Amino acid sequence: MQLAPVFPILYRILQPTFPSCLWSGSVREPIVALTFDDGPHPQYTPELLEVLDKYKIPASFFWLGVCVERSPEVAKAVYQRGHWVGLHGYNHQMFTSFTPPNLKQNLEKTQLAIAQACQLDFDYVQTHVRDVRPPNGVFTPQILNSLQQWNYRPVMWSVVPEDWVLPGVAIVVQRVLSQVQNGALIVLHDGMFGGAEVAETTALIVKNLLQRGFRFVTVEQLWQLNSVV
């Protein structure tokens, strides 16, 4: 069963129900945030970086701790380019399967992997790498309360083209372009599932949106802009 047609409906339902999450940015400006889950990947992420470098645009990456440990040099390359980094859990295990202490430990383990790969102080990472996207977008009100209690910021999405099932570049691009509006927060994947086509897909999306007059921002910039609206 394809879920792509369901995500726009879910967004319209969930966004006003859970306003503490970042779902999108202000509709007053032609801005869009590109985000990438499940990386870093030793092949797909460097290919994606070449596209982002070519167009000189920022992106946001939600990393799995185990993938950071496997590809530390790729993680470091992403960070050194100034892209925004967030957490996607250590190994893509659903947050609903954890007790609160275990979930906190899972996130801290991912932060530690990032600190070691990017050669950063662990305390700095704990303070600055605090955006969290739950695997599969699954959360409960209790999970949100815990994340906020631990000073994490939950980040969701407004455009999900279901690229991880590899429906084809043309279909993914069409889904994104048909749903994008001011403030869109787009989810793509540079990991094992979906990553094989992410560079080509991203290049087509970026080229089209730049022609439409959109400006690319990071998740951090969306938070900042939303706070002053």
Side-chain angles (χ1 to χ4, degrees):
M1 172 181 162
Q2 287 201 344
L3 297 174
V6 178
F7 286 115
I9 300 170
L10 284 176
Y11 167 71
R12 290 194 292 271
I13 295 172
L14 295 174
Q15 190 270 341
T17 306
F18 299 99
S20 63
C21 299
L22 181 68
W23 294 91
S24 58
S26 170
V27 298
R28 299 178 185 177
E29 296 185 63
I31 57 175
V32 62
L34 275 178
T35 69
F36 300 92
D37 288 2
D38 295 355
H41 187 277
Q43 177 183 346
Y44 306 148
T45 304
E47 292 173 351
L48 172 61
L49 286 178
E50 290 184 11
V51 174
L52 300 176
D53 287 349
K54 175 182 177 180
Y55 289 99
K56 296 181 173 59
I57 62 169
S60 303
F61 291 80
F62 288 85
W63 282 339
L64 297 174
V66 66
C67 292
V68 173
E69 290 176 350
R70 291 171 181 165
S71 303
E73 290 303 318
V74 178
K76 186 177 179 182
V78 172
Y79 180 79
Q80 289 183 331
R81 280 168 166 78
H83 298 296
W84 192 249
V85 174
L87 311 172
H88 200 41
Y90 182 76
N91 57 2
H92 213 274
Q93 186 173 344
M94 298 252 279
F95 286 179
T96 50
S97 68
F98 291 107
T99 64
N102 287 341
L103 175 57
K104 188 171 187 288
Q105 183 181 42
N106 178 282
L107 295 172
E108 290 175 348
K109 188 176 180 181
T110 306
Q111 288 175 315
L112 179 60
I114 292 171
Q116 293 174 339
C118 299
Q119 298 179 325
L120 299 170
D121 183 80
F122 182 50
D123 290 337
Y124 175 88
V125 172
Q126 285 195 298
T127 302
H128 291 82
V129 181
R130 57 195 182 100
D131 286 322
V132 177
R133 176 175 283 148
N136 301 319
V138 176
F139 62 89
T140 65
Q142 292 74 23
I143 287 173
L144 293 185
N145 289 337
S146 293
L147 291 176
Q148 291 168 324
Q149 178 184 342
W150 303 328
N151 202 33
Y152 293 111
R153 304 188 299 189
V155 177
M156 301 305 290
W157 36 258
S158 65
V159 179
V160 187
E162 203 180 16
D163 61 323
W164 62 88
V165 299
L166 295 176
V169 171
I171 291 176
V172 173
V173 172
Q174 186 276 328
R175 287 173 178 171
V176 171
L177 297 181
S178 66
Q179 295 178 43
V180 162
Q181 57 183 349
N182 287 1
L185 205 169
I186 302 168
V187 177
L188 295 170
H189 293 76
D190 64 327
M192 183 63 66
F193 298 100
E197 297 178 347
V198 71
E200 183 180 357
T201 298
T202 300
L204 292 171
I205 291 170
V206 169
K207 183 178 179 179
N208 188 287
L209 293 183
L210 287 174
Q211 290 173 346
R212 292 193 195 180
F214 280 94
R215 177 169 63 92
F216 288 85
V217 299
T218 63
V219 161
E220 170 65 7
Q221 289 170 303
L222 284 189
W223 281 115
Q224 293 175 355
L225 290 168
N226 282 6
S227 69
V228 299
V229 171

